[in-house]
Every structure is written in C-alpha cells, then in structure tokens.
C-alpha cells in the first residue's frame, strides 16, 4: 500500500536587522514615552532595516538559514512563496522572484501573497495544500517585512508599534502523521477593511502629489477597534481549531500568537487558560513585524532550545483585511 503523505515543518530561520530602535529613540521623534509604549503594548525595542536594505534582503537571509537547517539545496526547492505588505517593488516583480533569484532557485514557481499579519499562517495553508495534492515536495515559505518603509514617522498611533524582520520555513513531506501539520484554517472579513490600511498609491488613489501630501502612502490603523476584534477573533479561532481536531490546550507545548501587543496576547492566553510558560512572547524585542512575526517568534524559541523536534505548536494570527488564521503542527526540525 502506498504510504500516506503529510506536510511537515522541517526547519525555521529568521533574520532581524541589526539596527535597534528603542522607545527612547522614538521619544525624540514623536510625542510618546517609553512608559506609554511599554504599558500599552509591551514593546521595548524594534529593528529598522538600513536604507539600502529591502524586504528581499531580509527574506533571503532568513531563507538561507532555513534551507541550511533543513539540509535542502536551492535546486531541491520546488516553490517559493513570500507573504509581505512591504514588497521591494510596488506591483512587480514579486519579492518571491527576487528572493528565488538571490538563492539560485531557477525555473520554479515564485509568488507573493498579501494577507498582512496573518501572512505566515496563510503561507502554511498554501504549502500544506500543495504538498497534500502531491504537486510539490519542498516549499520555501517566507514572511518578510520592511514595515519601516510604510510607517509614518509623524504618526504616534502607528510608528511605535511596528518593526522589520523576516522568518522562513521549509515545508517538506513526511509519512508520519505525528510529525506533520495537523490542521490549518484561514479566514477573512473585508467589512473591516479600513481598520488597517495603506490608502494611497493603489488603483483607488493612485500616486499623486496630493496623495503624498496627505501621507496616504503610509499605514493607518484604527488601533482600539482592531484591538477588540483581535482579542475576540484570536480566542474563538483557537478554540475552534482545537475542538475540530479533538485536542485541548493541554496537548499543546507552545502557543505562538501574532506578536502585535502583549495585552492582546495576555487576554487570549487568559481566555484559553494556557500556562504562561507555553506562550511564545517576542513583541518586547521586535515589535509587530506583521507576516514575519510568527516565524521570527518560533525561531527565537528554537534558538533558545525551548521549541525542539516534536514540540506541538499552536499558531494564531490576525491582521489587516481583516484576515486571521490558526494552525496546529509538530515542529519537525533538527
Ligand atoms: O498586527 C495587526 C493587528 N494589530 C493589532 O492587533 C493592534 C491592535 N491595537 C493595539 O494594540 C492598541 O489599540 C494600541 C497599542 C494601538 C493603542 O492602545 P490603546 O490602549 O487602544 O490606546 P488608544 O488608541 O485608545 O489611545 C489611548 C490614548 C489616546 O489619547 P487620549 O485620546 O486618551 O487623550 C491616544 O492619543 O493614548 C494616546 N496615544 C499615545 N500616547 C503616547 C496613542 N498612541 C500613543 C503613543 N504615545 N504612541
């Protein structure tokens, strides 16, 4: 009998730019304070990429680590997908094509997806489906952002919250169910499309002097409204995926939520009644890195030796769109 095929997370890698921007640095730019930022978000510092670094540069560095750890050569990669809302170029070429070229991956499909902070869970769902369909065996997925390139450094409501970085994973094949991605679910609700939005320079408001003067090219967020929907959606999404798979929170070794705000993470953790030792928290160090946040968080705990081969992970993401998603999987990296 033919062996069953499942998708498996075989490695993780991440890259954070060297330049650390502290809350005290931001105090010099906008009317804010370290005290406010820490109390309202938990963030102490974030990384901003250099002017000559683009999203593909961050993505490539993370991807190289993931490929090395998976012991996969560029030739063996069947597909590259990048999730980003801060691509190297507006419209085209895709950041994935640039990354594939930098890695020496030739003649394979490469494309970007846009699912904001839920990007990595959307990537997992795509990679899972491509592997289960037996179309591909090794898929490189990358969440990468130079969010600083779309931040309005005059807007204290947003500029203190975000940071740059990239996280990558190699999704491969396993015949063992207990080493695989158990389930991924993703969803959206466009009714709240204006909660997180970069209004300018798309086909709705094409680039013009007026658009630039109104600073519409930058990210805007209805923070408070987003906060409330985030807590509710993240909590219910996790309950749903656990129930669907006949699992309880006690079956999970690490809960890896999107790193937007420590208060959101605590509220969701409390709602789930999860042991705080199991909650992966990196927002204090990197801020909100959008699509890169979940893989960067997994990588942090992996490098600290806490997440290891066999760890059961529960991922939970939420972002612009609105989009959200969750996943249950076993970490199958060495
Ligand atoms: O990644 C995608 C999903 N994103 C999220 O889930 C983010 C969700 N939202 C949040 O994390 C929080 O809503 C924020 C951190 C953005 C804001 O926290 P908040 O507790 O909801 O504050 P608020 O927006 O209700 O603002 C409270 C006060 C306001 O002043 P007044 O009107 O009470 O006088 C703001 O003007 O805090 C003020 N404020 C600031 N003060 C100092 C807003 N930003 C700042 C700032 N520094 N940077």
């Amino acid at each position: 009998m033919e062996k069953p095929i499942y998708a498996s997370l075989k490695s993780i890698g991440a890259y954070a730019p060297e330049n650390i921007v502290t809350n005290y640095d931001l105090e010099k730019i906008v009317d804010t304070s370290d005290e406010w930022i820490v109390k309202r978000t938990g963030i102490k510092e974030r990384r901003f990429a250099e002017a000559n670094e683009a999203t593909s540069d961050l993505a490539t560095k993370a991807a190289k680590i993931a490929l090395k750890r998976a012991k996969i050569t560029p030739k063996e990669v069947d597909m590259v997908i990048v999730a980003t809302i801060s691509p190297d170029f507006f419209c085209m070429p895709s950041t994935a094509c640039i990354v594939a070229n930098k890695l020496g991956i030739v003649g394979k499909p490469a494309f970007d997806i846009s699912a904001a902070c839920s990007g990595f869970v959307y990537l997992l769902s795509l990679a899972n489906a491509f592997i289960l369909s037996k179309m591909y065996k090794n898929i490189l997925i990358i969440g990468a952002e130079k969010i600083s390139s779309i931040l309005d450094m005059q807007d204290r409501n947003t500029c203190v919250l975000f940071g740059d970085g990239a996280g990558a994973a190699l999704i491969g094949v396993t015949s063992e169910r207990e080493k695989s991605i158990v389930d991924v679910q993703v969803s959206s609700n466009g009714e709240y499309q204006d909660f997180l939005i970069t209004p300018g320079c798309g086909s709705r408001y094409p680039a013009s002097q007026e658009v630039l003067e109104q600073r519409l090219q930058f990210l805007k967020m209805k923070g408070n409204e987003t906060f409330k929907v985030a807590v509710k959606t993240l909590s219910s999404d996790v309950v749903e995926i656990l129930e669907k798979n006949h699992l309880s929170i006690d079956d999970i070794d690490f809960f890896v939520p999107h790193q937007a705000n420590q208060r959101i993470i605590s509220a969701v953790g409390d709602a789930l009644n999860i042991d705080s030792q199991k909650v992966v928290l990196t927002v204090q160090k990197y801020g909100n890195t959008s699509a890169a946040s979940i893989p960067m968080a997994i990588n942090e705990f992996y490098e600290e030796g806490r997440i290891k081969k066999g760890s059961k992970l529960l991922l939970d993401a939420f972002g612009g769109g609105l989009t959200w998603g969750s996943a249950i999987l076993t970490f199958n990296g060495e």
Side-chain angles (χ1 to χ4, degrees):
M1 208 174 81
E2 208 183 323
K3 277 190 178 173
I5 279 190
Y6 304 106
S8 175
L9 191 149
K10 298 236 165 143
S11 71
I12 195 81
Y15 175 74
E18 281 170 25
N19 178 26
I20 298 173
V21 178
T22 66
N23 293 343
Y24 299 107
D25 295 327
L26 295 175
E27 282 181 1
K28 294 175 201 147
I29 302 171
V30 282
D31 179 16
T32 191
S33 65
D34 173 64
E35 194 196 347
W36 189 95
I37 302 170
V38 172
K39 197 167 154 212
R40 299 287 178 131
T41 70
I43 300 167
K44 292 184 177 148
E45 57 189 45
R46 73 288 293 142
R47 308 292 177 95
F48 280 180
E50 300 297 331
N52 64 357
E53 269 182 313
T55 296
S56 70
D57 299 317
L58 315 184
T60 304
K61 286 183 173 153
K64 278 186 178 164
I65 298 169
L67 290 181
K68 196 169 169 211
R69 287 179 179 162
K71 300 189 179 69
I72 292 280
T73 63
K75 271 196 173 145
E76 294 170 292
V77 174
D78 298 314
M79 177 159 74
V80 181
I81 325 176
V82 172
T84 187
I85 51 164
S86 48
D88 283 26
F89 298 106
F90 180 57
C91 303
M92 62 184 169
S94 72
T95 302
C97 281
I98 299 167
V99 172
N101 181 56
K102 285 182 185 190
L103 292 171
I105 298 168
V106 186
K108 303 289 172 62
F111 59 95
D112 291 355
I113 62 157
S114 169
C117 303
S118 310
F120 190 75
V121 177
Y122 268 67
L123 287 174
L124 267 184
S125 96
L126 281 171
N128 191 39
F130 275 111
I131 298 240
L132 294 181
S133 75
K134 301 188 182 164
M135 204 162 163
Y136 299 120
K137 286 192 172 142
N138 290 309
I139 303 176
L140 178 61
I141 57 172
I142 313 165
E145 305 282 11
K146 185 179 178 183
I147 294 280
S148 59
S149 67
I150 52 166
L151 276 186
D152 185 345
M153 295 310 291
Q154 294 177 11
D155 177 12
R156 69 175 184 173
N157 291 302
T158 52
C159 76
V160 304
L161 304 174
F162 294 87
D164 302 337
L170 195 282
I171 309 298
V173 171
T174 180
S175 56
E176 296 168 81
R177 182 83 179 127
E178 60 280 8
K179 292 184 176 169
S180 72
I181 294 173
V182 175
D183 196 10
V184 195
Q185 56 181 33
V186 285
S187 198
S188 72
N189 184 354
E191 195 185 327
Y192 303 116
Q193 57 191 271
D194 61 339
F195 278 22
L196 282 136
I197 188 166
T198 49
C201 300
S203 61
R204 179 68 59 197
Y205 304 109
S208 67
Q209 196 57 40
E210 203 186 333
V211 160
L212 297 184
E213 274 161 16
Q214 291 177 19
R215 308 180 76 76
L216 297 183
Q217 72 275 32
F218 294 123
L219 185 157
K220 323 266 176 216
M221 178 167 73
K222 291 187 176 170
N224 206 264
E225 289 91 329
T226 308
F227 188 101
K228 288 176 199 150
V229 186
V231 173
K232 218 168 125 202
T233 309
L234 284 165
S235 310
S236 61
D237 201 38
V238 161
V239 170
E240 191 184 313
I241 197 169
L242 285 170
E243 279 178 3
K244 199 168 109 194
N245 291 281
H246 311 291
L247 293 168
S248 89
I249 202 74
D250 298 333
D251 298 310
I252 299 300
D253 296 316
F254 291 99
F255 175 51
V256 194
H258 168 49
Q259 307 286 315
N261 186 322
Q262 191 170 346
R263 286 191 296 141
I264 296 179
I265 296 171
S266 299
V268 176
D270 289 349
L272 296 173
N273 202 15
I274 187 166
D275 174 359
S276 63
Q277 292 296 312
K278 289 183 171 183
V279 180
V280 175
L281 198 65
T282 57
V283 70
Q284 68 285 1
K285 207 169 155 187
Y286 301 117
N288 181 349
T289 57
S290 187
S293 115
I294 287 182
M296 285 178 81
I298 298 174
N299 183 71
E300 193 84 2
F301 269 44
Y302 168 74
E303 290 189 351
E304 287 174 11
R306 292 200 258 179
I307 290 179
K308 33 179 141 14
K309 196 179 179 80
S311 297
K312 285 260 177 301
L313 311 184
L314 172 61
L315 316 185
D316 200 11
F318 180 86
L322 295 175
T323 54
W324 61 91
S326 53
I328 299 171
L329 63 137
T330 301
F331 185 81
N332 196 22
E334 292 304 326

